[in-house]
Amino acid sequence: MRAEALLGLGILVYGCGSLPPQDPVEMVSGRGLSGEEYEAYRKIVAEKTVSPRNLLDMRDALACLESMIKTRPGDFDVMVLATETASWLADHAEGAARSSFAEKAVQYGREAVKLNGWSGRAQYALAVALGYYVREEPSRALAMIPEMEAAAKAAAGSDERVDEAGPHRYLALLYAQAPGFPTSVGDVELAMKHADKAVELFPKSPETHIARAEVLLEDDGEDEAKKELTLAGELLATAPPDERAELQKKIDEFLAELGETETP
């Protein structure tokens, strides 16, 4: 069996994280990954990022994607997936690692948009990455809002249905929570417009109803917010299995704030 085939087998069995890093000189000279290695990495990424996800597999997937990017920095699909994977890790990792993954997500998201600014998926991935970044670096939030808004608006214009109306949910929460004019872009009416659009597009998505409830709470709409949260709880079965517990926790936290009993 040729060395390339043996390496490919090792990747498929152990994952990218088990491989020694490539010599930087080889990377600069253009050696990178061979065609067979590249495709082996692609298979690993597909296997590691399938739901339900876990930290170990997603870290391994990002390691694969980063090696692929070094070899073919113009591979748009890989760049977007690296953005999404790093964002997931920024949300689920612990401690300082969250900030590191958020920075990587923003870096890859910006590169993805450079490669294809017309892609709603890429623009949305960048917006999400920026959201995780400002969560870890709150002192930068105000300065980052214009880029966050621009990416989400571009995503809504290109593909408003991505991630179950993700761009509209994102804009709804951004406008609801940001400071108002002249400090920033905060606008409760505009927030509700996007929240309503998200529910219109995906009425059976628990996330659209949770987002609408959040906007309502920013505008003293407690009674209607309770109805939205109750409906979101009833729709949880439609969410991906690895997201249900997190969504349930969010619903229960909002209901607790409203003095309501947690949903069963």
Side-chain angles (χ1 to χ4, degrees):
M1 186 178 288
R2 293 187 299 123
E4 292 85 348
L6 283 169
L7 177 57
L9 178 61
I11 297 170
L12 290 172
V13 173
Y14 298 109
C16 303
S18 66
L19 301 176
Q22 287 188 283
D23 189 321
V25 176
E26 289 186 346
M27 296 303 303
V28 172
S29 67
R31 156 65 175 84
L33 300 171
S34 70
E36 290 185 22
E37 292 167 352
Y38 199 89
E39 291 309 312
Y41 275 50
R42 192 189 300 278
K43 290 178 181 178
I44 281 293
V45 170
E47 293 174 358
K48 298 288 186 180
T49 55
V50 70
S51 181
R53 301 166 180 169
N54 62 70
L55 276 170
L56 183 61
D57 282 348
M58 293 296 279
R59 284 176 182 268
D60 203 28
L62 186 60
C64 290
L65 290 162
E66 289 178 330
S67 292
M68 295 169 78
I69 287 171
K70 289 176 182 177
T71 302
R72 299 181 191 174
D75 191 325
F76 170 73
D77 290 334
V78 167
M79 196 69 75
V80 175
L81 189 52
T83 307
E84 295 168 341
T85 303
S87 284
W88 189 96
L89 287 165
D91 190 30
H92 293 82
E94 299 292 337
R98 294 163 71 101
S99 180
S100 176
F101 286 127
E103 288 182 12
K104 288 186 176 185
V106 171
Q107 174 190 344
Y108 297 139
R110 287 171 173 165
E111 290 301 318
V113 168
K114 287 180 184 177
L115 290 171
N116 184 0
W118 294 101
S119 168
R121 179 187 173 192
Q123 293 282 7
Y124 178 63
L126 173 58
V128 171
L130 290 165
Y132 287 127
Y133 177 78
V134 300
R135 184 187 67 182
E136 300 305 316
E137 302 290 341
S139 64
R140 301 287 309 279
L142 199 59
M144 303 296 286
I145 285 176
E147 186 179 5
M148 296 166 71
E149 180 189 27
K153 288 175 70 174
S158 296
D159 184 4
E160 64 181 355
R161 299 181 66 85
V162 65
D163 191 27
E164 298 190 347
H168 288 296
R169 289 188 285 110
Y170 188 100
L171 287 167
L173 298 180
L174 180 65
Y175 291 135
Q177 297 171 2
F181 180 83
T183 303
S184 191
V185 300
D187 185 329
V188 175
E189 289 186 8
L190 192 54
M192 186 56 66
K193 177 182 176 180
H194 284 285
D196 288 343
K197 186 62 177 180
V199 171
E200 176 189 330
L201 290 171
F202 288 90
K204 294 185 178 180
S205 166
E207 291 191 82
T208 62
H209 293 283
I210 293 172
R212 191 169 187 275
E214 289 191 60
V215 174
L216 286 164
L217 289 173
E218 293 290 336
D219 195 31
D220 299 322
E222 287 85 356
D223 290 340
E224 194 172 351
K226 292 176 185 177
K227 295 178 182 178
E228 291 289 345
L229 291 168
T230 300
L231 181 55
E234 294 170 356
L235 293 169
L236 273 181
T238 66
D242 59 335
E243 296 179 10
R244 292 173 193 167
E246 186 175 343
L247 292 173
Q248 181 69 73
K249 180 181 178 182
K250 184 178 293 187
I251 292 170
D252 290 341
E253 287 175 349
F254 282 128
L255 288 174
E257 288 180 16
L258 292 167
E260 293 292 306
T261 304
E262 296 180 355
T263 58

